[in-house]
Amino acid sequence: MGTNGSTMLEPLRQGLPPIDAASVSSSASCALPARYEAVRGARKFTSATLAQWDLTDRFDDVALVVSELVTNALRHALPADTPREAPHDPPVRLHLMRWASRLVCAVRDPSPDSPAARESDEDFSAESGRGLFLVESFSDSWGWHPLAGTLHGKVVWALFRLSDAPGTQRTP
C-alpha cells in the first residue's frame, strides 16, 4: 500500500484508539452518497473488504456497527440542504483499517457535533436513540474526534479485537 495508505489515514491518526496508525497492515475506504441507500452500499463494501482480509466470521458484528455509524452520519450530520449528488466531495466516507489483532471502522461526516445517545424520555423508545448503544454493545470500544486542518467535521470510530483462529498462526 505504501504512501497511498498512510496519506489516506492522515486525518484519522489523531483520534484513533491507542494503536499505532502507521503500522496498519491493510486499509480500505469508500465514499458514500448522501442517501439512505448508502447504508446498503457500506454493508456490501464491508462484506467484500472483510472477505478479502479473511475476516468473514466478524461480518455480522462489524456490519451492524457500520450500518449504525453510517445511518447516524446520514441522519444527524448532514444539513437538510446537502445535495443528493456531490461526486467530487462526498459528505460521508467509510474507512476500514486492519492491524494484526485489531479492526477499526471509522465514518467521517461533515458535522462537528458530538455523537450523543438520546436521553430525553420521549426519545427513549425511538429507534434513533439505540444506534450508539448498539455500537457500544457490539464493538470493543468506540469514540470520535473532530477533524483538523482543511477537513471539516468529525470521525466516529469503533474498534474490534481480532483473535487469531486456531490453525492460522503466522510463520516467521
Side-chain angles (χ1 to χ4, degrees):
M1 283 280 291
T3 56
N4 182 27
S6 62
T7 309
M8 184 187 78
L9 292 174
E10 204 58 54
L12 297 175
R13 286 179 195 278
Q14 84 187 70
L16 280 172
I19 46 182
D20 179 15
S23 70
V24 65
S25 60
S26 306
S27 62
S29 83
C30 72
L32 299 169
R35 300 189 305 274
Y36 284 111
E37 303 91 271
V39 176
R40 187 168 60 238
R43 289 175 67 91
K44 285 174 74 172
F45 175 79
T46 300
S47 175
T49 302
L50 293 186
Q52 197 178 335
W53 294 346
D54 201 21
L55 293 173
T56 50
D57 57 319
R58 299 305 305 271
F59 173 72
D60 290 344
D61 290 352
V62 175
L64 177 85
V65 168
V66 163
S67 296
E68 291 299 333
L69 294 180
V70 170
T71 298
N72 280 352
L74 294 171
R75 179 181 287 148
H76 302 296
L78 295 183
D81 60 355
T82 298
R84 292 175 67 82
E85 294 296 338
H88 302 299
D89 184 24
V92 177
R93 182 172 277 277
L94 167 64
H95 295 268
L96 298 172
M97 292 159 282
R98 182 189 178 173
W99 287 258
S101 60
R102 304 274 190 278
L103 173 72
V104 169
C105 61
V107 174
R108 190 180 100 199
D109 70 55
S111 168
D113 298 335
S114 69
R118 301 279 174 262
E119 291 180 18
S120 66
D121 289 342
E122 74 261 15
D123 284 340
F124 182 71
S125 61
E127 185 182 335
S128 62
R130 294 201 305 257
L132 290 175
F133 175 75
L134 290 172
V135 169
E136 191 170 315
S137 300
F138 283 87
S139 64
D140 290 298
S141 64
W142 75 278
W144 75 280
H145 66 92
L147 291 170
T150 57
L151 291 169
H152 299 289
K154 68 176 173 297
V155 168
V156 184
W157 56 264
L159 178 144
F160 299 85
R161 288 190 179 86
L162 305 173
S163 55
D164 282 336
T168 59
Q169 272 82 27
R170 298 185 220 298
T171 51

